[in-house]
Structure formats: C-alpha cells, structure tokens
Amino acid sequence: VYVKDVTEEVVADAGQLNRLIHEGFAQRTTSATAMNDASSRSHCVFTICLHYQDTADSSRNTISKLHLVDLAGSEKSGSDERKQAKEN
C-alpha cells in the first residue's frame, strides 16, 4: 500500500517523539463548521514502534507497535448541520 507523504523517523527520547507528533498535527487540514471552529478535515495515523534491546541477552529483545489513529471530523453537513446550529 502506498501512502503519499508518509515519513519514518527514528527518535531517541520522548522529547523528540513529542516534537514529531506536534509537527504532524500542525500539518493537518482544518475547517470551520457550525459545530466546531477548527474541525479536522484529514485523517492522521501515528505508528510508534518501540524496540527494547537487552545487551546482556539478545533473546530478550522486544519490539512493540502502538498505532494512534485520529479520524477526520464527523460533523454532519447540509440540512442536519443547519438544524443543529439553530437548536443551539
């Protein structure tokens, strides 16, 4: 599967990971809706791969993956959105 503009970065500490997450969120597209001033218009997936390397016993090496998924805003558009805006 090809994903346009996907990147892979190696980090050594939580600060570097936090910086990458903030950079990723800054690149997301947002748009105002009647229900949300900054609704996300794009999906976002972060896959964090953790590699624990036991230098004394290589049989104890562990690799784990954590997938963080944030889907684009799901506010309804059209007449439903106008109806909800009027109710508020």
Side-chain angles (χ1 to χ4, degrees):
V1 174
Y2 172 76
V3 179
K4 183 182 177 200
D5 297 330
V6 70
T7 60
E8 181 175 328
E9 302 278 342
V10 176
V11 298
D13 58 48
Q16 291 175 335
L17 176 62
N18 194 36
R19 178 186 56 80
L20 288 174
I21 290 173
H22 282 283
E23 285 179 14
F25 278 121
Q27 293 180 31
R28 295 185 76 187
T29 302
T30 59
S31 177
T33 67
M35 295 170 38
N36 186 347
D37 288 337
S39 178
S40 173
R41 302 287 93 200
S42 60
H43 300 317
C44 181
V45 178
F46 285 99
T47 300
I48 301 170
C49 185
L50 303 170
H51 184 192
Y52 171 76
Q53 198 167 18
D54 188 328
T55 55
D57 182 1
S58 64
S59 69
R60 295 185 56 177
N61 291 349
T62 304
I63 297 176
S64 303
K65 282 188 178 181
L66 175 65
H67 301 282
L68 305 176
V69 180
D70 186 8
L71 301 178
S74 61
E75 296 91 345
K76 293 182 180 180
S77 61
S79 62
D80 288 342
E81 186 177 77
R82 287 189 295 275
K83 180 181 175 185
Q84 288 179 352
K86 286 180 183 179
E87 291 173 358
N88 294 330

